[in-house]
Amino acid sequence: MMLFDKLGEIERPAPPRKAALVFAALTAVLLIASAVLQFRASAARWIDFGRTVEGNELSVESDQYDYYFPDGEFFPLENTAFPLGIALMIQALGLLCLLATLAALRERSTRAIVFTALPLGVLAATGFALLGLHALLSALEGQPSTLPGSGLFHLALLIGFLALCALSILCCLSVPLLGLAAAFLLGSTLVGYFLSSYLLAPLLTGYLSHDTTPGTETIVALSTAAAAITMLSVLISLASQRRK
């Protein structure tokens, strides 16, 4: 009987710490803000500016209006590159808050997180911050910034993308929803932008533009929105666990 009594005493998992809820909420808010700014920038190009060039010799699809990564003969449209730059910087902060959420949920494995997830997250966040800074400076200067002129800039973006891939896998092994949120953020990397332009956007529009396929930046914004929704799911789940 004593054996069965001991077997019946199953220890309930400890409720998540309050810090985990705070960081999850902060992550969701930051990602929502980033997504809203990205949607605003996309609408400024494809809807607001698009209406002004109908029947004109100019094309809204021209790469001179590409504000995600200004290059070449860049023409800064109003409310495009500037809000995007701010959005990507906010997203970098959101990614760091996601890491803080993971650390708060896995208190016993703090050392492992510091030596694995934290460096990966910092590298990935740096990639977003650099993209945002390039867009922001380009908007302010009215021409592409000089940041991409350095090979280190492109190397940092590549490392940031690979770090985010590794981070999403690492988070999935620990907290699957956090890993899913990190994976959605891959859509707003430079690699994700090109995938949207050459693969996803053509599937929705039915054609591949010679410059930029309409709605490319909208799909990028959707990936950030998906990450925000996932973080809201994390927050709801944590809150319900604390109430039990």
Side-chain angles (χ1 to χ4, degrees), residues 167-185:
L167 179 64
S168 62
I169 295 173
L170 181 64
C171 288
C172 278
L173 297 176
S174 182
V175 185
L177 277 179
L178 288 182
L180 183 60
F184 277 130
L185 292 180

Side-chain angles (χ1 to χ4, degrees), residues 17-32 94 97-102 104-105 178 227-228 230-239:
R17 293 189 298 166
K18 187 177 181 179
L21 275 79
V22 172
F23 283 121
L26 187 55
T27 305
V29 169
L30 289 172
L31 293 182
I32 289 172
C97 288
L98 186 150
L99 285 175
T101 306
L102 178 64
L105 288 173
L178 288 182
T230 305
M231 285 307 304
L232 287 175
S233 300
V234 172
L235 180 61
I236 293 172
S237 176
L238 294 178

Side-chain angles (χ1 to χ4, degrees), residues 40-181:
R40 178 66 188 95
S42 180
R45 176 181 183 179
W46 299 107
I47 298 178
D48 299 342
F49 180 67
R51 291 171 181 164
T52 67
V53 298
E54 290 182 2
N56 213 321
E57 69 275 6
L58 298 175
S59 172
V60 69
E61 299 173 18
S62 173
D63 56 13
Q64 68 178 318
Y65 305 122
D66 288 348
Y67 61 87
Y68 182 87
F69 193 89
D71 191 25
E73 297 181 0
F74 172 61
F75 184 87
L77 297 174
E78 187 177 3
N79 295 322
T80 55
F82 190 82
L84 175 76
I86 296 176
L88 291 177
M89 289 185 173
I90 291 175
Q91 190 161 295
L93 291 176
L95 183 56
L96 294 179
C97 288
L98 186 150
L99 285 175
T101 306
L102 178 64
L105 288 173
R106 291 292 178 262
E107 184 178 5
R108 295 179 180 178
S109 59
T110 301
R111 181 174 299 179
I113 291 173
V114 169
F115 288 105
T116 52
L118 182 57
L120 292 174
V122 170
L123 289 172
T126 299
F128 285 128
L130 287 175
L131 278 173
L133 182 60
H134 174 51
L136 199 58
L137 291 176
S138 299
L140 293 174
E141 297 171 3
Q143 60 184 1
S145 77
T146 58
L147 288 178
S150 169
L152 292 176
F153 180 85
H154 295 281
L155 179 61
L157 295 186
L158 176 59
I159 292 176
F161 170 75
L162 296 175
L164 186 56
C165 290
L167 179 64
S168 62
I169 295 173
L170 181 64
C171 288
C172 278
L173 297 176
S174 182
V175 185
L177 277 179
L178 288 182
L180 183 60

